[in-house]
Amino acid sequence: MRLSRRETLQLGVAAAAIGAAGIGGARAQESDVIRIGIAAGGPRHSDPNLTTQGSDNWATEQMYEQLVRPDDGAFAVTPDEFRPTLATSWTQSEDAKTWSFTLREGVQFHKGYGEMTSEDVVYSYERAITSGTNRTILSNIASVTADGPYKVTLQLKSPDALFLGTSVFNNNTSIVSKKAALEMGEAFATDAVGTGPYELVRFDTESGTTLKRHEGYWGEKAKVANVECLYIADTTARTLALLSGNIDMMEAVRAPGWVDSMLQRDPTLKIDMTVPGSFNTLHVNLTREPFNDLRVRQALMHAIDRPAVARALAPMGGVLAGLQPDFFPAGFKTEDLPAELQYPYDPERSKALLEDAGFPDGISFVALCSQREDYASTMLIVQELLRPAGFNMDLRIGDHTAYHADNRSDKNTLAMHSSSYPPIPTQLYFQQLSSRSEVKSDGTGGGNYSHYGVAMPGIDGLLDQALQSTSFEDYERICREIELQVLRDLPLIGLSTLSFTVARNARVDLGYPIKSGYARWRFHRATKTA
């Protein structure tokens, strides 16, 4: 690898940044530690019940486990794809409301806190239900009871045929040590105790977290002895830290051309990408004229060349025909949709629809956007696509945190949202389309920025039916009805998927391929050569 003079100068700046992150000189030769550069300013919590920024989950993923998990590097698309983890077996009642788990015996908590039993599982679930950061989804759990030291039963209020995916494999329902949590109190937030293949050694709010191998792990022990999660928010510093060998892996910059640029600098780099990754959706505010007119929303759909958006973000971008990727439950391929719901790119059709709606000269409006690379890149592409179709979008790009606060206060007209979802369609519907999640001007509402189901009839009835389903087949069928209804009403547009991406040096072998999953993966099977 050869660096240009400019990159050499940048490397000096990067050295200061990574020095602040607690990294000395290049230590690429060390084979007993994996260092990952994380795109955030610093860790906030190591307690899986309290994490609110996704970057903290890189550490919790190594330290904690749930009763079941999918295969490494993938989502479980159907219930039979979940694997025994802290539970060795489970049963489900016919009405999908009673779930019983048999626990693995002999599992040891970190730091000498003893064997995991049903008492820890009951405590962990009750703690997540009452004080965790994902209480909405877990609110369907009516009770958690122990039947002996190795049996636990969860009773649900309503059926949930996908309970393993919606709730059991969930960061918040990771199993913690009851004894450690009670002993530590508030300190547990940064000194937590789980059963995972790595345990916490050091939590530094400035630089990151340090982990070491859990020698008492119930399964095959981790091959690399140590993991360091280093927080390097600056994109240039993080990039050059990887290229100079100070870190082994980095959270990528999800912007057009970034992957190609990195591979030109170092062709030996490995690029790991989840598919689908984030779901990039566009909320059309139904309370703002003229977007309350269906013809205007149809014009918007014909104006946005969604395959072109995906191509511009390649190789990270993917096409959304509706709101779910075509290989997820309820997902459609474009060609499988009714012709009137395919919305091919056609700016002339857009202009005709606008004229029919009373806007022969087009419309102008203001839209807010985050400065984060994936948001800004996508919305600038959308802005250019809209222009020849008669939409003059005044795009105002600002701070990422402020952007989300504005969206949460109903201040946007065309709001992009990016979020990862498992193959559980109702999670996106509930968070972005349900009237119960309608955005409020005082910030107390949810993520339904379009006011769907309130400004006009929505999908609440269908969503309730899906959530009451006792079979996966019924669930999927009703969710497909929701997809079609949303494509008819157009309160929410599926723009593209965007892979969560990590670049790593070739010395690190994860031990499994990355296919899909949340924006984090485990290192217990990884190896590293000097």
Side-chain angles (χ1 to χ4, degrees):
M1 176 188 64
R2 175 177 293 176
L3 297 180
S4 66
R5 180 175 181 277
R6 180 184 176 205
E7 288 169 333
T8 302
L9 293 172
Q10 288 177 323
L11 186 59
V13 176
I18 60 180
I23 314 171
R27 294 186 288 177
Q29 72 280 9
E30 297 178 48
S31 60
D32 64 346
V33 56
I34 294 174
R35 296 187 179 89
I36 179 170
I38 293 174
R44 300 181 67 182
H45 297 288
S46 65
D47 183 337
N49 253 316
L50 298 178
T51 56
T52 53
Q53 62 173 3
S55 50
D56 287 350
N57 295 333
W58 278 104
T60 61
E61 185 75 1
Q62 319 304 326
M63 296 188 291
Y64 289 96
E65 295 173 303
Q66 299 80 23
L67 299 182
V68 302
R69 290 183 60 86
D71 287 333
D72 286 330
F75 272 131
V77 177
T78 57
D80 62 353
E81 292 180 4
F82 283 98
R83 305 293 178 236
T85 309
L86 295 181
T88 55
S89 62
W90 52 91
T91 60
Q92 147 192 9
S93 63
E94 287 188 6
D95 64 1
K97 293 175 66 175
T98 303
W99 293 74
S100 299
F101 295 85
T102 299
L103 304 184
R104 187 179 299 279
E105 298 184 26
V107 175
Q108 297 297 313
F109 280 112
H110 304 155
K111 305 178 183 177
Y113 274 95
E115 185 183 18
M116 177 207 69
T117 68
S118 55
E119 191 176 2
D120 299 293
V121 176
V122 171
Y123 174 79
S124 299
Y125 270 81
E126 290 181 341
R127 181 172 178 266
I129 292 166
T130 57
S131 58
T133 53
N134 204 1
R135 295 191 295 273
T136 301
I137 290 176
L138 301 181
S139 64
N140 190 35
I141 300 175
S143 65
V144 189
T145 56
D147 181 16
Y150 303 112
K151 296 274 189 182
V152 171
T153 297
L154 291 103
Q155 188 69 42
L156 307 187
K157 300 172 186 173
S158 301
D160 185 352
L162 300 181
F163 183 58
L164 298 180
T166 61
S167 305
V168 180
F169 179 60
N170 183 307
N171 198 43
N172 294 90
T173 50
S174 298
I175 306 306
V176 304
S177 163
K178 177 182 178 181
K179 181 180 179 183
L182 293 177
E183 276 184 7
M184 294 181 187
E186 292 183 0
F188 195 74
T190 57
D191 192 16
V193 176
T195 62
Y198 288 94
E199 64 180 70
L200 184 66
V201 173
R202 178 171 174 264
F203 184 97
D204 187 316
T205 56
E206 297 294 327
S207 60
T209 50
T210 302
L211 316 176
K212 70 175 184 179
R213 180 168 50 216
H214 175 29
E215 299 295 346
Y217 186 57
W218 61 268
E220 186 177 351
K221 292 180 185 177
K223 295 179 172 59
V224 176
N226 304 285
V227 171
E228 294 180 7
C229 301
L230 302 164
Y231 286 66
I232 311 173
D234 181 82
T235 297
T236 301
R238 200 166 70 255
T239 299
L240 293 177
L242 177 67
L243 293 172
S244 62
N246 281 291
I247 58 175
D248 301 295
M249 307 170 64
M250 66 168 283
E251 289 188 313
V253 180
R254 295 193 293 171
W258 187 86
V259 170
D260 290 341
S261 170
M262 289 296 288
L263 291 176
Q264 286 174 2
R265 292 179 172 191
D266 183 353
T268 69
L269 288 177
K270 305 297 181 185
I271 308 295
D272 300 305
M273 291 189 288
T274 60
V275 177
S278 300
F279 292 40
N280 290 348
T281 51
L282 194 62
H283 292 253
V284 186
N285 194 326
L286 300 170
T287 67
R288 304 279 177 93
E289 293 184 352
F291 292 103
N292 58 338
D293 189 318
L294 177 60
R295 292 166 295 183
V296 173
R297 301 197 297 278
Q298 290 171 333
L300 200 61
M301 278 293 274
H302 282 295
I304 300 174
D305 186 347
R306 289 171 291 153
V309 174
R311 286 195 300 272
L313 297 168
M316 303 180 193
V319 174
L320 281 173
L323 297 175
Q324 305 293 328
D326 59 26
F327 59 95
F328 268 28
F332 283 94
K333 289 183 168 63
T334 300
E335 59 268 27
D336 294 333
L337 289 168
E340 70 275 14
L341 300 183
Q342 293 184 8
Y343 300 103
Y345 175 59
D346 188 345
E348 294 304 316
R349 174 69 175 149
S350 294
K351 287 192 282 191
L353 283 162
L354 287 182
E355 183 171 0
D356 190 43
F359 303 97
D361 300 322
I363 64 171
S364 297
F365 65 100
V366 173
L368 309 178
C369 180
S370 164
Q371 65 184 3
R372 206 175 79 177
E373 292 94 345
D374 51 338
Y375 280 79
S377 299
T378 302
M379 287 303 288
L380 286 168
I381 294 168
V382 170
Q383 183 185 41
E384 290 307 308
L385 289 170
L386 291 180
R387 202 184 309 277
F391 290 94
N392 178 27
M393 179 168 69
D394 179 3
L395 193 62
R396 300 182 180 177
I397 299 175
D399 174 74
H400 185 69
T401 302
Y403 169 73
H404 281 296
D406 285 342
N407 283 342
R408 287 281 181 176
S409 303
D410 196 24
K411 294 180 180 176
N412 211 347
T413 301
L414 207 59
M416 178 182 153
H417 183 78
S418 177
S419 187
S420 291
Y421 287 100
I424 313 289
T426 44
Q427 289 198 4
L428 185 152
Y429 306 151
F430 190 86
Q431 291 178 357
Q432 300 195 40
L433 290 167
S434 166
S435 64
R436 286 162 283 187
S437 299
E438 184 195 17
V439 66
K440 305 290 185 186
S441 59
D442 62 2
T444 61
N448 176 1
Y449 305 143
S450 61
H451 300 269
Y452 192 45
V454 180
M456 64 180 290
I459 48 83
D460 289 345
L462 287 171
L463 179 57
D464 288 341
Q465 289 180 40
L467 292 173
Q468 293 287 332
S469 299
T470 57
S471 75
F472 180 71
E473 291 73 20
D474 286 344
Y475 175 90
E476 186 174 33
R477 175 181 54 77
I478 298 167
C479 288
R480 289 170 77 86
E481 291 182 37
I482 291 175
E483 290 284 313
L484 296 175
Q485 183 65 44
V486 172
L487 283 168
R488 280 191 288 271
D489 293 339
L490 299 177
L492 185 65
I493 296 171
L495 275 179
S496 71
T497 61
L498 189 62
S499 298
F500 186 80
T501 304
V502 166
R504 61 179 161 89
N505 65 46
R507 294 186 298 277
V508 174
D509 182 344
L510 293 174
Y512 57 90
I514 298 299
K515 299 175 182 175
S516 61
Y518 291 112
R520 59 186 188 269
W521 37 83
R522 295 209 289 180
F523 297 140
H524 66 134
R525 292 163 61 183
T527 56
K528 181 181 176 184
T529 55

